[in-house]
Amino acid sequence: MSDGTTAVGRASRQPLVAGIAAALALLTLVTVAVLWLTSDRSEGTTDTGTPKDTSAEAGFARDMSVHHQQAVEMSFIARDRTTDDEVRRLAFDIASTQATQAGMLQGWLDMWGLDKTSEDPPMTWMKNASSNGMDGMEGMDHGSMKGMGGGGAYKPHDGSLMPGMATNTQLDELRKAKGKAAEVLYLKLMTAHHKGGVDMAKGAVELVKDSTEKHLARTMVQGQQSEIQLMADMLKARGASA
């Protein structure tokens, strides 16, 4: 096929791809709306059934959206730094899943009439979480936890705003790595990222009253715990560990 024909073919596909993307986005918003409107939101809400700005529902939606966005960013970086099909497939799965979940969380904030950001520090909504939901956070590589379940706070540093999030320095290292080195670094960073995300989601399961959001949090716990085990196996196959 000539270059001219190839260019025409690509151009003809662009509107189709854009249309599919738009349709998926609309479908996600409609699904979020239906799930939310049909859920039981009798507790932890305003008199109209809408979560308050300072509620665990709003805090989790805001913080996990940001947390997920970094996972998507890391996955796109890793995809471009290796040709390994297994790692690229995992990166695609994580990016797709977490981008969709972040969209759902931000969609709920829109429907609740709440801002997507808050003046409160990240993780403020978890101040009343029990220590049972915080297992493993104290020893995380990306920062120190001081009894967060008992009212302590994670200390943001170098772009790492919440437990498990990579620092700007680590993201720069991932951008520079290539091949096996990039694969190992990505798997290590994403394992820590997932562990932080799992503990945040456990906190949401405990504190959130909105049944639909609680269900999503449970789904995050289950899915990311499964991926943590998968990444441990992938690291072992590459002679490394988390």
Side-chain angles (χ1 to χ4, degrees), residues 50-126:
T50 302
K52 300 176 183 178
D53 187 68
T54 57
S55 66
E57 285 83 357
F60 176 67
R62 290 177 180 129
D63 285 351
M64 191 57 84
S65 292
V66 174
H67 206 271
H68 273 18
Q69 286 164 8
Q70 190 189 68
V72 173
E73 178 185 6
M74 285 198 296
S75 295
F76 279 127
I77 294 172
R79 179 201 62 181
D80 294 337
R81 302 307 296 169
T82 179
T83 58
D84 184 89
D85 288 340
E86 184 181 30
V87 173
R88 287 170 61 89
R89 182 164 53 249
L90 173 66
F92 175 81
D93 288 345
I94 290 175
S96 300
T97 298
Q98 299 212 12
T100 299
Q101 291 175 346
M104 293 174 69
L105 293 168
Q106 292 182 12
W108 284 326
L109 288 170
D110 280 338
M111 287 190 296
W112 297 333
L114 301 177
D115 292 336
K116 292 185 174 66
T117 59
S118 172
E119 295 181 358
D120 292 332
M123 313 300 294
T124 299
W125 61 276
M126 287 193 71

Side-chain angles (χ1 to χ4, degrees), residues 33-204:
V34 171
L35 288 173
W36 184 74
L37 290 171
T38 58
S39 66
D40 178 10
R41 301 178 303 282
S42 58
E43 300 182 41
T45 64
T46 64
D47 293 339
T48 60
T50 302
K52 300 176 183 178
D53 187 68
T54 57
S55 66
E57 285 83 357
F60 176 67
R62 290 177 180 129
D63 285 351
M64 191 57 84
S65 292
V66 174
H67 206 271
H68 273 18
Q69 286 164 8
Q70 190 189 68
V72 173
E73 178 185 6
M74 285 198 296
S75 295
F76 279 127
I77 294 172
R79 179 201 62 181
D80 294 337
R81 302 307 296 169
T82 179
T83 58
D84 184 89
D85 288 340
E86 184 181 30
V87 173
R88 287 170 61 89
R89 182 164 53 249
L90 173 66
F92 175 81
D93 288 345
I94 290 175
S96 300
T97 298
Q98 299 212 12
T100 299
Q101 291 175 346
M104 293 174 69
L105 293 168
Q106 292 182 12
W108 284 326
L109 288 170
D110 280 338
M111 287 190 296
W112 297 333
L114 301 177
D115 292 336
K116 292 185 174 66
T117 59
S118 172
E119 295 181 358
D120 292 332
M123 313 300 294
T124 299
W125 61 276
M126 287 193 71
K127 63 182 181 294
N128 295 321
S130 69
S131 58
N132 291 335
M134 302 296 102
D135 293 343
M137 278 193 175
E138 289 79 3
M140 297 191 69
D141 293 337
H142 301 324
S144 62
M145 300 296 298
K146 292 186 177 180
M148 195 171 81
Y154 179 79
K155 295 182 178 179
H157 60 288
D158 191 21
S160 177
L161 303 177
M162 285 167 271
M165 289 186 69
T167 63
N168 291 329
T169 300
Q170 290 167 327
L171 291 178
D172 287 340
E173 291 174 356
L174 182 59
R175 293 185 182 97
K176 295 174 183 176
K178 188 176 182 180
K180 182 179 177 180
E183 296 163 17
V184 170
L185 181 55
Y186 170 69
L187 293 170
K188 287 184 175 182
L189 293 177
M190 191 57 74
T191 296
H193 200 277
H194 270 22
K195 287 180 178 179
V198 165
D199 286 328
M200 287 172 63
K202 286 181 178 179

Side-chain angles (χ1 to χ4, degrees), residues 56-57 60 64 125-126 129 133-134 197-211 213-222:
E57 285 83 357
F60 176 67
M64 191 57 84
W125 61 276
M126 287 193 71
M134 302 296 102
V198 165
D199 286 328
M200 287 172 63
K202 286 181 178 179
V205 171
E206 176 185 350
L207 299 174
V208 164
K209 302 303 180 183
D210 183 283
S211 61
E213 191 174 17
K214 186 187 291 285
H215 174 73
L216 178 61
R218 286 198 183 100
T219 299
M220 290 178 185
V221 172
Q222 296 167 356

